[in-house]
Amino acid sequence: VSKAIEILSSPEAVKTFTNATTTFVQLSSVTQHRSATEGPRKAYKSLSGLARRFHNLNLAELAARVKSGGHFDKVIVSIDKMMEVLRAEEQSDIEHRDRCENADGKNANDMEDLNNAIDKTGKSIEHLANEEERLGDEIEVLEAEIKKTKEDMAEALMLRNKEVAEFRQAMKDDTDAVALLEQAMAALRKFFDKNNI
């Protein structure tokens, strides 16, 4: 076995096998005796079954040619053409399926992105509503403080005005008292001077 593997894997054998893949050498043949109509009948049966299964008029036409006993070469050419058409249709179907799957995937991703954006926006709205309520409470507190400050300022102004009025009155009273004292002192000086005291 190892000798056979060595022979088959030698560089010369590899070169020979590479060149041999382009042609076939018939080593033996088996002859079966069939009737002349058995091959076309089987081909017709297979092709007509495929035509019904796939609802394909081209396959039905090909089956009719086989049944009518047309030339086998023409049938082979027709089969080759049909195979090319089927391969092209298959490739087109695969491309269409891929486009659909990609579109579905993109749509799913877009929907996921939109749902995330909606969730994020909802959370943002909720946060802003809470912030609005908090700021509203702060505004009420500040307005109450402003009102209290204005009341305190008005009371302070009233007290200051009262104190200023009292101060002015006290200054006037003091000035008047000084004037009276000066008059009294002048009268006493006059009296003392007159009486030589």
Side-chain angles (χ1 to χ4, degrees), residues 56-89:
N56 191 313
L57 291 177
N58 291 330
L59 283 174
E61 181 184 318
L62 184 60
R65 281 188 193 167
V66 169
K67 187 175 184 180
S68 67
H71 294 92
F72 193 66
D73 290 340
K74 288 181 182 178
V75 172
I76 290 176
V77 169
S78 295
I79 290 173
D80 288 343
K81 286 181 183 177
M82 179 57 61
M83 291 299 290
E84 287 177 24
V85 169
L86 291 175
R87 284 189 185 107
E89 287 177 0

Side-chain angles (χ1 to χ4, degrees), residues 114-132:
L114 289 174
N115 287 335
N116 286 340
I118 289 170
D119 289 345
K120 190 174 182 181
T121 302
K123 288 176 183 174
S124 178
I125 288 171
E126 184 179 331
H127 172 73
L128 291 175
N130 292 338
E131 186 69 13
E132 178 185 24

Side-chain angles (χ1 to χ4, degrees), residues 57-170:
L57 291 177
N58 291 330
L59 283 174
E61 181 184 318
L62 184 60
R65 281 188 193 167
V66 169
K67 187 175 184 180
S68 67
H71 294 92
F72 193 66
D73 290 340
K74 288 181 182 178
V75 172
I76 290 176
V77 169
S78 295
I79 290 173
D80 288 343
K81 286 181 183 177
M82 179 57 61
M83 291 299 290
E84 287 177 24
V85 169
L86 291 175
R87 284 189 185 107
E89 287 177 0
E90 179 186 24
Q91 186 60 37
S92 175
D93 290 346
I94 290 170
E95 290 171 0
H96 180 69
R97 181 204 62 206
D98 291 347
R99 283 193 305 272
C100 289
E101 287 175 355
N102 288 339
D104 285 347
K106 184 182 181 310
N107 288 344
N109 289 341
D110 289 347
M111 281 301 286
E112 187 177 331
D113 290 347
L114 289 174
N115 287 335
N116 286 340
I118 289 170
D119 289 345
K120 190 174 182 181
T121 302
K123 288 176 183 174
S124 178
I125 288 171
E126 184 179 331
H127 172 73
L128 291 175
N130 292 338
E131 186 69 13
E132 178 185 24
E133 184 178 337
R134 186 185 66 76
L135 291 175
D137 292 345
E138 282 186 24
I139 288 172
E140 287 178 11
V141 168
L142 290 174
E143 286 175 344
E145 288 178 2
I146 289 171
K147 181 179 178 188
K148 176 80 169 104
T149 301
K150 284 182 179 180
E151 289 172 356
D152 290 347
M153 287 174 59
E155 185 179 337
L157 179 63
M158 184 182 73
L159 287 174
R160 193 181 96 214
N161 288 340
K162 182 180 175 190
E163 287 174 359
V164 167
E166 288 174 356
F167 175 74
R168 286 183 182 159
Q169 185 62 43

